[in-house]
Amino acid sequence: MKIWTVANQKGGVGKTTTTVTLGALLAQKGYRVMLVDTDPHASLSYYFGVDSEELSGSVYDVFTAGSNLSSDTVLDALCPTKLDSLFLLPATMALATLDRSMGTQSGMGLLLKKALHLVESEFDYVLIDCPPVLGVLMVNALAACEQILVPVQTEYLALKGLDRMMRTLEIMRGNQSGEYQFTIVPTMYDKRTKAALESYQRLKQTYGDKVWNGVIPVDTRFRDASQALTPPPVYCPKSRGVIAYERLLTSIEQ
């Protein structure tokens, strides 16, 4: 089972769109895929029309199960999607309380990793959507994976936010026993604007081969897909945005 985490300490850069689109593309290729929503705002959950406040289980149960944590904790909370092999582990607003209630407890940073290990025979891929805040949830998501995708909007303020994320990854790298890979993914690229071009060039100059050699363009079809509560590869498979994500998937699967 491969685990990818989609993270950035800035909101609005395309984390949820990246998670949904890559997950759906993998499911269309025949893989069993689980999407994990670790953001208390639950954007990923709402994308699929799931209101976890009305469900009996969510990813919150993983963090609060304690010694009762089992594969059923995860599997019983899963929600189906419009793709047969794509499943969602939804978020709940209660996640926002974890830093205060459990953040200082020993071992809290590895709970998600332990939970996913319990179901590794059930899935080929797990994609984790992170909140834009460094805390227990992001630490768990980063510690659980071997591949990190960092979507970055191609505009000046987003690049400034990326600096914070890179510092976080350096800290995590120092605490990890094993190595993990990360890829910076330029998103919302508008080739008509000078600002987008300059931002992309600065990304390449600063981070070199850590930046994916491509861009995710601005695509209004993504907005239409989210309003239809349908992953873009299902809603608009030939759109330029989906085609760009197909190229990204090919590059990170190599």
Side-chain angles (χ1 to χ4, degrees), residues 71 74 100 113 119 129 144 214 240:
S71 60
V74 179
R100 183 177 69 253
K113 182 176 183 177
V119 297
D129 191 18
R240 60 181 181 174

Side-chain angles (χ1 to χ4, degrees), residues 98-113:
L98 290 179
D99 277 307
R100 183 177 69 253
S101 64
M102 307 174 75
T104 59
Q105 295 182 22
S106 176
M108 270 299 294
L110 297 174
L111 285 178
L112 185 57
K113 182 176 183 177

Side-chain angles (χ1 to χ4, degrees), residues 67-160:
S67 59
N68 295 319
L69 179 64
S70 69
S71 60
D72 287 342
T73 308
V74 179
L75 297 177
D76 289 348
L78 290 180
C79 298
T81 71
K82 294 180 179 180
L83 288 169
D84 290 342
S85 58
L86 182 67
F87 299 86
L88 169 70
L89 183 58
T92 175
M93 289 178 63
L95 290 171
T97 67
L98 290 179
D99 277 307
R100 183 177 69 253
S101 64
M102 307 174 75
T104 59
Q105 295 182 22
S106 176
M108 270 299 294
L110 297 174
L111 285 178
L112 185 57
K113 182 176 183 177
K114 293 176 181 177
L116 295 179
H117 177 71
L118 294 173
V119 297
E120 63 181 351
S121 63
E122 300 287 335
F123 296 94
D124 301 300
Y125 284 88
V126 175
L127 276 69
I128 307 171
D129 191 18
C130 279
V133 178
L134 179 59
V136 165
L137 295 165
M138 182 180 286
V139 167
N140 266 269
L142 294 176
C145 74
E146 63 270 357
Q147 172 75 251
I148 300 167
L149 302 176
V150 187
V152 181
Q153 185 178 358
T154 45
E155 58 97 19
Y156 177 73
L157 291 179
L159 298 193
K160 296 298 290 184

Side-chain angles (χ1 to χ4, degrees), residues 163-193:
D163 295 339
R164 294 194 301 274
M165 190 67 216
M166 290 299 102
R167 287 195 293 271
T168 295
L169 291 182
E170 284 300 316
I171 293 170
M172 291 295 296
R173 189 189 303 275
N175 293 332
Q176 289 275 91
S177 57
E179 278 292 311
Y180 53 69
Q181 302 296 319
F182 73 89
T183 301
I184 297 169
V185 182
T187 61
M188 305 180 192
Y189 182 79
D190 188 344
K191 64 181 181 181
R192 299 169 298 178
T193 68

Side-chain angles (χ1 to χ4, degrees), residues 220-252:
T220 58
R221 300 289 279 163
F222 284 156
R223 182 182 59 215
D224 297 338
S226 65
Q227 290 176 343
L229 306 179
T230 303
V234 176
Y235 185 85
C236 49
K238 301 301 182 183
S239 69
R240 60 181 181 174
V242 170
I243 291 170
Y245 273 112
E246 288 174 343
R247 295 187 185 122
L248 171 63
L249 181 58
T250 297
S251 72
I252 56 181

